[in-house]
Amino acid sequence: MRYPIPVLTAVLVAMASPACVPLTGGNTGGEGLPMASIAIGDDIFTVEVAATAAAQRQGLMGRTELAEDAGMLFVFDHPIVPSFWMLNTLIPLDIAFIREDGTIASVDTMQPQTLDSHVPPEPVLYALEVPAGQLEARGIGPGDAVTIAYNEP
């Protein structure tokens, strides 16, 4: 099921509340998080959704591998200028900062186990992390439109 970007935020935040997230079974990620499909042009990523503060703090820390078409979508309550760093993250990642209108504001590559700050140039509603090199290899960059479809359990 596809949702317009603003509607998706309310759905994901509601479904990611502790009372709604299934801990086992269903269509959830390795950490019991909801899943979504992210379409950017012809490319599809299947990602875990981090819509709670706890899930966002954990992020992809401690992971030793990530499939080329996998990742994590960070969903914020409102547009913000977040800062991402990679302490305790063991694999290099690309990050795409996504505006409220569903377009990519900027992309960056983040190196593992660093405290370098990665910040978008403007407030964003989402941040998408995927394995390093995947955005460039697929020709994904600023201005590209992103469609998010929540994968219902």
Side-chain angles (χ1 to χ4, degrees):
M1 177 177 274
R2 294 191 185 280
Y3 294 98
I5 296 289
V7 172
L8 177 68
T9 301
V11 171
L12 290 178
V13 170
M15 296 192 94
S17 68
C20 297
V21 175
L23 299 176
T24 59
N27 196 3
T28 60
E31 303 299 317
L33 297 175
M35 299 294 292
S37 295
I38 306 294
I40 307 170
D42 291 333
D43 294 295
I44 305 286
F45 295 93
T46 302
V47 300
E48 298 172 55
V49 178
T52 66
Q56 291 172 1
R57 275 191 305 275
Q58 179 63 37
L60 293 170
M61 287 192 308
R63 308 282 178 99
T64 57
E65 58 185 21
L66 192 60
E68 289 181 356
D69 62 349
M72 182 169 281
L73 180 70
F74 294 77
V75 180
F76 308 112
D77 292 335
H78 58 277
I80 63 170
V81 179
S83 180
F84 283 72
W85 59 90
M86 298 283 284
L87 184 64
N88 298 322
T89 304
L90 307 175
I91 54 177
L93 298 170
D94 283 344
I95 189 165
F97 292 104
I98 305 167
R99 298 179 187 100
E100 189 171 14
D101 71 359
T103 60
I104 297 175
S106 66
V107 298
D108 203 356
T109 298
M110 305 184 296
Q111 296 306 314
Q113 300 182 322
T114 64
L115 289 174
D116 299 340
S117 185
H118 302 272
V119 180
E122 62 189 85
V124 296
L125 194 56
Y126 308 95
L128 173 66
E129 291 181 343
V130 298
Q134 288 303 306
L135 297 180
E136 183 178 359
R138 297 165 190 244
I140 295 171
D144 287 346
V146 176
T147 302
I148 303 169
Y150 182 78
N151 298 339
E152 297 181 28

